[in-house]
Amino acid sequence: MGGAGSPRLGCVLRIDRATYDAIVAHAREDHPDEACGVVAGPEGSDRPERFIPMLNAARSPTFYEFDSADLLRLYREMDDRDEEPVVVYHSHTATEAYPSRTDIGLAAEPNAHYVLVSTRHHGEQTGLAGDEVEFRSFRIVDGVVTEEDVEVVESYLFGHSPTTVVYD
Amino acid sequence: MAIEVRIPTILRTHTGGSKTVQGSGDTLAALVDDLDAKHPGLKNRLVTEEGKLHRFVNVYVNDEDVRFTGALDTQVKDGDSVTILPAVAGG
Ligand SMILES: [Zn+2]
């Protein structure tokens, strides 16, 4: 995956196959409008576990914005579950999967992996590798964009310690 | 009693890492001034030079987006809960 520019050592988005596919499917579905959403995970875990597609309130091929009431509900819910947005994703439908100036200016989650998906070639049936949807991941901190590797794992359940149930 | 204000991750550099701070005021504008006195720089992140809320910062008073209740003129009182959330948006 990687792409142009060498990702920083140790900087990687590790994401399970089902979530990866769900993000791509959402982007294809909403094409030519931009699709957006988050994948939440336990605070500090860096594990994107809960896929939450969001409505693009702008319904636009060049802009996305979570609806303001949805945004509040989402953050309230993550708060209640001790989660954070591990991945914030959106699609570009006519340009490459790289953060735009607007994306960089508005990025407000320094701990998140910003996933960019491009569906610009998804309608072309060329039979070549080029008709794949592009999927790239970035950190955006203080206006600085750092691309990172994307590692798709089969499932997060492997290697987990047994689930413990806490009653409070 | 005071007004409880929830601070998003990106603004916690102004609050020493606190997720929640307390403030007071009769309007959102007064509350923001009070918060800025205790947590310098916060106002700049919320309000433009023209004195309006930033387009891509959402502020809610008791779950109501203040864009629909008078923006910075929105009335607040002790016991209210205010939530600040940067928009999740881009191009
Ligand atoms: Zn974008």
Side-chain angles (χ1 to χ4, degrees), chain A residues 67-69 72, chain B residues 53 57-71 74:
Chain A
D67 170 77
S68 129
L72 180 65
Chain B
L53 270 180
V57 174
N58 296 339
V59 181
Y60 308 84
V61 175
N62 304 328
D63 296 0
E64 194 87 48
D65 186 334
V66 300
R67 253 177 230 122
F68 307 114
T69 60
T74 302

Side-chain angles (χ1 to χ4, degrees), chain A residues 90 92 97-99 103 114-118 134-138:
Chain A
H90 77 283
H92 286 173
Y98 191 89
D103 292 334
Y114 280 91
V115 164
L116 272 286
V117 167
S118 175
E134 299 159 51
F135 187 112
R136 295 165 72 179
S137 183
F138 307 85

Side-chain angles (χ1 to χ4, degrees), chain A:
Chain A
M1 308 251 159
S6 55
R8 227 176 347 154
L9 205 65
C11 216
V12 62
L13 167 65
R14 199 164 284 116
I15 189 167
D16 69 277
R17 170 60 59 190
T19 306
Y20 180 102
D21 289 347
I23 291 173
V24 171
H26 185 202
R28 284 185 189 277
E29 238 168 70
D30 284 13
H31 184 92
D33 283 348
E34 293 192 7
C36 56
V38 309
V39 188
E43 248 175 77
S45 71
D46 202 34
R47 283 201 314 267
E49 292 184 348
R50 195 161 68 89
F51 172 68
I52 311 167
M54 299 293 288
L55 192 79
N56 178 2
R59 287 189 182 78
S60 158
T62 55
F63 196 73
Y64 81 96
E65 182 171 15
F66 292 6
D67 170 77
S68 129
D70 291 351
L71 179 75
L72 180 65
R73 248 192 316 274
L74 170 70
Y75 273 77
R76 183 93 12 113
E77 192 182 87
M78 288 192 294
D79 228 43
D80 290 346
R81 294 163 158 256
D82 294 319
E83 289 175 337
E84 61 187 356
V86 178
V87 166
V88 178
Y89 73 87
H90 77 283
S91 63
H92 286 173
T93 58
T95 56
E96 68 171 329
Y98 191 89
S100 67
R101 277 176 58 186
T102 314
D103 292 334
I104 297 165
L106 294 179
E109 289 291 353
N111 301 324
H113 302 268
Y114 280 91
V115 164
L116 272 286
V117 167
S118 175
T119 54
R120 61 182 164 161
H121 297 309
H122 93 126
E124 297 167 16
Q125 298 300 317
T126 61
L128 301 171
D131 70 0
E132 285 299 303
V133 167
E134 299 159 51
F135 187 112
R136 295 165 72 179
S137 183
F138 307 85
R139 296 286 185 168
I140 308 176
V141 181
D142 294 330
V144 178
V145 177
T146 311
E147 181 156 19
E148 55 189 7
D149 278 326
V150 177
E151 186 187 323
V152 181
V153 297
E154 280 320 305
S155 167
Y156 261 110
L157 298 177
F158 293 112
H160 266 195
S161 44
T163 308
T164 46
V165 181
V166 180
Y167 298 95
D168 54 10

